[in-house]
């Protein structure tokens, strides 16, 4: 409990520091937010275009699709804000040697890696996603109140799933001397989780639900609110999946750090 | 008696290094089978550090200094051997241990690059749980001794190397560690900055009776700060004792270098000065290497000044790299007992030569 309070305070400080440093260059930050927003708007437009051509694709109405897609931006946005350092971990920490400094501080190394840098402009995705969900809710009269109430919490679980999967991929840098790594192809898979999983064939469904559980991050969390009873068990499995992958991530980092300790690289 | 602050016994660190064959064929071969060689970076190192002691840990590049420091600070896990520091096993109890140590790597800052120095200090205050009162009091001391006050509002990336080092030193002592590791704390600093850093370290060591272990290339750092040096080469401790003793034993030389005006006729390669010979370094510049066990530097100096038209004169001592190179050569010779160069029964490290040496 003490440790939790300590880390929460530290997180707030790290975040405040980052925001302060980032806002020192206002124009740069404004451009980044705009660029990020245009990216989100573009991919959203593709979805809208697609569904203007095929209304009721695989039995999903237009507002439902907006709900799904809007929600998917919440865990994804949170993930984007917090994952800035994962991409550069091998370069900035292992190659340049900053990881030594991380190990010299009495704070969890993983905590420091995740929270030393942020992708602040991605908060825009959370806002945009929230707005899309709000609009969809106004058009969908028959939603489950419990499903709606749990939505924010499930968005956090979703972000934990994303962060853990990419944390696991990043930890591979301790073993594989490859600056690019496995992250980019998996990153592309994230887009799959934003559509109703029912439109895919079985292989993709299995992949997104088990190996790389992105369906648990963005699709299943919406199913309770949308009253898709066939998916309800998956909805309730989301916290367990998040916990499982978070633990897996932590275990892998521990092994990676131990390996760093014995090889120095 | 209290326990030593740090106790190191038979510390060993080996690395597996994959050997790559050259060329495309080699790269292909490496895909299937990688040959590795074992590199011993630290080879059965043992020493104790007493509380409040300030010790220089020296050796040439690649001697194993940094690897040792990384094990003592808990970054690396040793292959074998024991370290007990402040009652902790560094690599096992890392989180608890790092609360009571301070570390400065001269090559790299411990501070956050993009934010103002004072913000870095506030983060560290939070990380180490330093109270507001302690923080204020210590910052006052750092400002008095290191003049960091005016640097606080600036981001680290805008500081000069010397300014950054002062801030790094202050940061490493913010939580009043009982054990301080300094890896090349004066590297790249100008003379004034070096002097500042040294006097601060002396003061901090006296004030807080912090145990300090210092690695450096700069002999002057050691001379000014450390009573004791531990010298390692190829991962092994070659000397543990005073610096004076080390130098006197292995390279008891002084170099007298002087400029002459007018330049001696014919610009000779060698000049006789009493019984000694001076070697020409450049036009009008000569050097005498004095074996201090045979004659006092002052005697030679007197004669140089009396006999020659000296314009300018300087006396130097061999730097640590040279002493180490000498010791290493002797060390290598010792490993080959048949080597005829080794004097029978004589102490290794006897300097037998005089005269021409390149400075």
């Amino acid at each position: 409990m003490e440790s939790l309070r300590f880390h929460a305070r530290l997180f707030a400080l790290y975040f405040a520091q980052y925001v302060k440093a980032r806002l020192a260059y206002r124009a740069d930050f404004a451009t980044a937010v705009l660029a990020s927003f245009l990216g989100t708007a573009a991919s959203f437009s593709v979805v809208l275009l697609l569904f203007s051509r095929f209304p009721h694709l695989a039995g999903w109405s237009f507002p439902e699709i907006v709900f799904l897609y809007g929600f998917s931006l919440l865990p994804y946005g949170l993930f984007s804000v917090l994952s800035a350092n994962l991409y550069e971990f091998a370069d900035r920490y292992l190659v340049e040697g900053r990881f030594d400094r991380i190990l010299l501080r009495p704070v969890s190394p993983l905590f420091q890696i995740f929270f030393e840098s942020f992708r602040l402009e991605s908060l825009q995705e959370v806002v945009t996603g929230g707005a899309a969900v709000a609009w969809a809710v106004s058009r969908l009269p028959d939603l489950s109140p419990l499903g709606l109430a749990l939505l924010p919490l499930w968005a956090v679980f979703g972000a934990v799933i994303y962060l853990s999967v990419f944390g696991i991929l990043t930890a591979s840098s301790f073993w594989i001397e490859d600056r690019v790594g496995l992250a980019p192809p998996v990153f592309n898979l994230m887009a799959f989780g934003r559509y109703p999983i029912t439109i895919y064939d079985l292989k993709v469904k299995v992949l997104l639900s088990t190996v790389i559980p992105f369906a648990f991050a963005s699709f299943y969390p919406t199913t309770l609110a949308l009253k898709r009873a066939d998916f309800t068990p998956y909805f309730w499995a989301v916290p367990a999946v998040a916990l499982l992958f978070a633990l897996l991530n932590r275990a892998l980092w521990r092994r990676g750090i131990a390996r760093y300790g014995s090889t120095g690289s | 008696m209290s326990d030593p602050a740090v106790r190191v016994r038979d510390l060993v660190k080996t690395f597996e290094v994959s050997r790559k064959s050259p060329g495309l064929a080699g790269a292909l071969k490496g895909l299937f089978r990688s040959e590795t060689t074992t590199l011993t970076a630290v080879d059965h190192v043992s020493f104790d550090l007493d509380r409040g002691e300030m010790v220089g840990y020296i050796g040439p590049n690649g001697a194993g200094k940094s690897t040792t420091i990384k094990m003592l600070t808990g970054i690396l896990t040793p292959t074998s051997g024991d370290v007990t520091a402040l009652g902790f096993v560094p690599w096992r109890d890392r989180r608890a241990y790092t609360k009571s140590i301070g570390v400065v790597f001269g090559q790299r800052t411990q501070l956050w690059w993009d934010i103002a120095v004072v913000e870095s200090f506030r983060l560290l205050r939070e990380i180490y749980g330093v109270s507001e009162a302690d923080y204020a009091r210590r910052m006052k001391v750092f400002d008095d001794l290191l003049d960091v006050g005016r640097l606080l509002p600036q981001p680290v990336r805008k500081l000069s190397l010397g300014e950054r080092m002062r801030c790094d030193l202050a940061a490493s002592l913010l939580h009043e560690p009982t054990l301080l590791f300094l890896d090349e704390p004066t590297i790249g600093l100008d003379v004034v900055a070096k002097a500042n850093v040294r006097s601060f370290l002396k003061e901090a060591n006296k004030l807080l009776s912090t145990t300090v272990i210092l690695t450096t290339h700069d002999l002057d750092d050691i001379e000014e700060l450390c009573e004791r040096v531990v010298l390692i080469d190829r991962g092994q401790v070659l000397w543990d004792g005073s610096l004076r003793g080390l130098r006197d034993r292995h390279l008891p030389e002084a170099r007298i270098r002087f400029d002459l005006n007018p330049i001696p006729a014919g610009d000779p390669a060698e000049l006789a000065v009493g019984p000694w010979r001076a070697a020409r370094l450049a036009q009008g510049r000569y050097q005498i290497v004095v074996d201090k066990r045979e004659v006092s530097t002052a005697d030679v100096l007197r004669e140089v000044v009396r006999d020659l038209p000296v314009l300018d004169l300087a006396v130097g001592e061999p730097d640590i790299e040279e002493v180490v190179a000498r010791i290493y050569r002797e060390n290598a010779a010792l490993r080959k007992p048949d080597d005829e160069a080794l004097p029978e029964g004589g102490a290794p490290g006897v300097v037998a030569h005089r005269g021409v040496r390149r400075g």
Side-chain angles (χ1 to χ4, degrees):
Chain A
M1 206 56 221
E2 188 53 45
S3 156
L4 195 69
R5 209 161 45 213
F6 167 74
H7 283 96
R9 271 183 68 93
L10 206 56
F11 169 78
L13 255 168
Y14 271 49
F15 188 70
Q17 284 309 335
Y18 183 83
V19 171
K20 220 186 281 180
R22 193 67 205 273
L23 291 183
Y25 303 94
R26 257 166 241 267
D28 177 68
F29 178 66
T31 315
V33 173
L34 187 66
S36 172
F37 178 74
L38 289 177
T40 308
S43 53
F44 215 152
S45 310
V46 171
V47 180
L48 298 184
L49 211 68
L50 197 68
F51 280 90
S52 67
R53 300 224 150 188
F54 309 99
H56 293 268
L57 179 70
W60 298 82
S61 74
F62 180 71
E64 282 179 319
I65 291 299
V66 173
F67 185 88
L68 260 176
Y69 199 86
F71 173 80
S72 80
L73 288 173
L74 304 180
Y76 178 75
L78 289 174
F79 159 78
S80 293
V81 171
L82 296 176
S83 65
N85 255 348
L86 288 185
Y87 290 87
E88 295 179 274
F89 176 74
D91 257 356
R92 290 183 61 174
Y93 288 84
L94 296 182
V95 178
E96 285 178 24
R98 289 186 197 197
F99 198 61
D100 289 353
R101 185 199 63 192
I102 297 286
L103 293 180
L104 291 173
R105 293 201 177 123
V107 180
S108 145
L110 207 51
F111 178 93
Q112 296 181 68
I113 299 293
F114 273 115
F115 302 139
E116 274 199 341
S117 183
F118 300 91
R119 205 180 284 107
L120 212 50
E121 60 271 25
S122 289
L123 277 177
Q124 141 318 104
E125 288 169 88
V126 179
V127 176
T128 310
V133 170
W135 179 86
V137 168
S138 73
R139 295 296 164 106
L140 295 164
D142 189 28
L143 293 171
S144 144
L146 179 65
L148 280 180
L150 289 177
L151 222 45
L153 190 58
W154 258 237
V156 172
F157 289 136
V160 170
I161 291 173
Y162 284 142
L163 285 168
S164 301
V165 168
F166 283 94
I168 287 164
L169 293 175
T170 305
S172 71
S173 315
F174 285 110
W175 288 272
I176 308 162
E177 280 177 48
D178 178 9
R179 290 187 168 205
V180 181
L182 300 161
V186 177
F187 188 79
N188 291 332
L189 278 180
M190 286 176 95
F192 283 76
R194 302 173 154 192
Y195 300 92
I197 199 167
T198 49
I199 68 173
Y200 301 119
D201 72 22
L202 188 66
K203 269 180 280 180
V204 179
K205 279 181 203 165
V206 170
L207 179 73
L208 290 177
S209 309
T210 55
V211 188
I212 301 159
F214 289 164
F216 283 96
S218 57
F219 173 66
Y220 294 134
T222 61
T223 54
L224 186 66
L226 294 173
K227 293 190 172 171
R228 297 277 167 158
D230 36 343
F231 294 114
T232 310
Y234 292 100
F235 175 88
W236 293 113
V238 166
V241 172
L243 183 69
L244 178 75
F245 275 80
L247 290 176
L248 213 63
N249 178 42
R250 198 174 69 155
L252 207 64
W253 274 83
R254 288 206 169 153
R255 305 234 3 210
I257 291 166
R259 188 188 150 84
Y260 183 88
S262 65
T263 60
S265 61
Chain B
M1 272 311 290
S2 62
D3 289 338
V6 180
R7 188 174 177 279
V8 181
R9 285 294 174 280
D10 283 320
L11 196 62
V12 174
K13 183 70 192 175
T14 59
F15 295 107
E16 296 291 322
V17 186
S18 64
R19 199 169 36 193
K20 292 195 174 73
S21 316
L24 183 63
L28 284 174
K29 216 173 83 185
L31 280 178
F32 303 103
R33 189 167 44 117
S34 71
E35 289 173 50
T36 59
T37 41
T38 305
L39 202 117
T40 306
V42 174
D43 192 1
H44 295 91
V45 163
S46 302
F47 57 80
D48 284 347
L49 299 183
D50 285 331
R51 286 175 196 275
E53 200 177 13
M54 207 163 180
V55 173
Y57 194 60
I58 58 175
N61 286 329
K65 296 188 300 264
S66 292
T67 308
T68 312
I69 297 294
K70 282 184 179 179
M71 287 189 278
L72 297 191
T73 51
I75 294 173
L76 287 181
T77 317
T79 309
S80 66
D82 300 311
V83 175
T84 317
L86 310 174
F88 295 103
V89 175
W91 52 91
R92 213 187 49 208
D93 315 320
R94 211 185 52 233
R95 291 268 285 281
Y97 174 61
T98 47
K99 278 201 162 199
S100 37
I101 65 168
V103 185
V104 176
F105 289 125
Q107 314 264 35
R108 260 181 244 138
T109 183
Q110 308 289 301
L111 303 170
W112 285 264
W113 197 245
D114 288 317
I115 60 178
V117 175
V118 65
E119 313 280 10
S120 273
F121 278 64
R122 287 202 190 120
L123 280 173
L124 291 171
R125 187 184 87 73
E126 195 69 31
I127 286 175
Y128 290 101
V130 178
S131 74
E132 280 289 357
D134 283 344
Y135 177 79
R137 190 170 48 75
R138 286 168 202 173
M139 289 306 283
K140 171 89 175 57
V141 175
F142 296 145
D143 191 32
D144 289 347
L145 296 177
L146 286 168
D147 193 22
V148 291
R150 59 184 186 82
L151 306 175
L152 291 178
Q154 300 184 48
V156 176
R157 64 186 144 78
K158 289 199 177 155
L159 301 181
S160 74
L161 203 56
E163 291 170 336
R164 207 209 72 201
M165 181 51 67
R166 271 147 54 198
C167 292
D168 257 312
L169 279 170
S172 73
L173 288 169
L174 194 64
H175 54 295
E176 280 192 1
T178 33
L179 177 58
L180 181 64
F181 295 89
L182 302 167
D183 194 8
E184 301 283 359
T186 60
I187 200 162
L189 299 189
D190 63 39
V191 185
V192 180
K194 270 186 191 178
N196 283 341
V197 166
R198 286 181 194 139
S199 64
F200 172 72
L201 288 175
K202 253 189 275 190
E203 200 66 25
N205 176 247
K206 206 167 65 189
L207 238 60
L208 307 170
S209 64
T210 311
T211 309
V212 181
I213 180 162
L214 169 88
T215 77
T216 182
H217 276 89
D218 195 330
L219 192 63
D220 295 339
D221 284 348
I222 303 288
E223 227 148 12
E224 280 205 33
L225 297 172
C226 306
E227 299 276 304
R228 174 180 162 208
V229 292
V230 175
L231 178 135
I232 69 162
D233 188 29
R234 307 227 164 169
Q236 295 180 324
V237 174
L238 295 187
W239 176 266
D240 186 344
S242 74
L243 180 67
R244 176 72 21 220
L246 172 73
R247 234 212 235 111
D248 287 349
R249 177 166 162 186
H250 291 277
L251 201 54
E253 286 183 359
R255 286 96 190 260
I256 302 172
R257 186 178 293 191
F258 49 88
D259 292 332
L260 299 178
N261 191 22
I263 294 160
D267 197 15
E270 248 182 37
L271 278 179
V273 185
W276 302 289
R277 285 214 292 274
R280 180 183 180 279
L281 299 174
Q283 196 176 48
R285 172 168 292 182
Y286 290 83
Q287 175 173 278
I288 298 176
V289 177
V290 178
D291 185 333
K292 293 200 284 193
R293 282 161 311 145
E294 294 181 1
V295 63
S296 85
T297 314
D299 288 344
V300 184
L301 272 177
R302 254 192 301 279
E303 241 165 296
V304 169
V305 177
R306 198 185 59 212
D307 294 359
L308 296 168
V310 175
L311 181 71
D312 196 5
L313 181 143
V315 181
E317 285 186 312
D319 62 33
I320 201 67
E321 297 284 332
E322 261 185 273
V323 179
V324 168
R326 171 66 58 92
I327 292 172
Y328 178 64
R329 275 204 301 278
E330 291 159 5
N331 196 41
L334 271 174
R335 288 194 198 130
K336 290 183 285 177
D338 298 336
D339 200 310
E340 39 93 38
L342 205 76
E344 186 64 38
V350 171
V351 181
H353 86 156
R354 165 203 284 190
V356 185
R357 264 181 69 93
R358 297 235 328 255

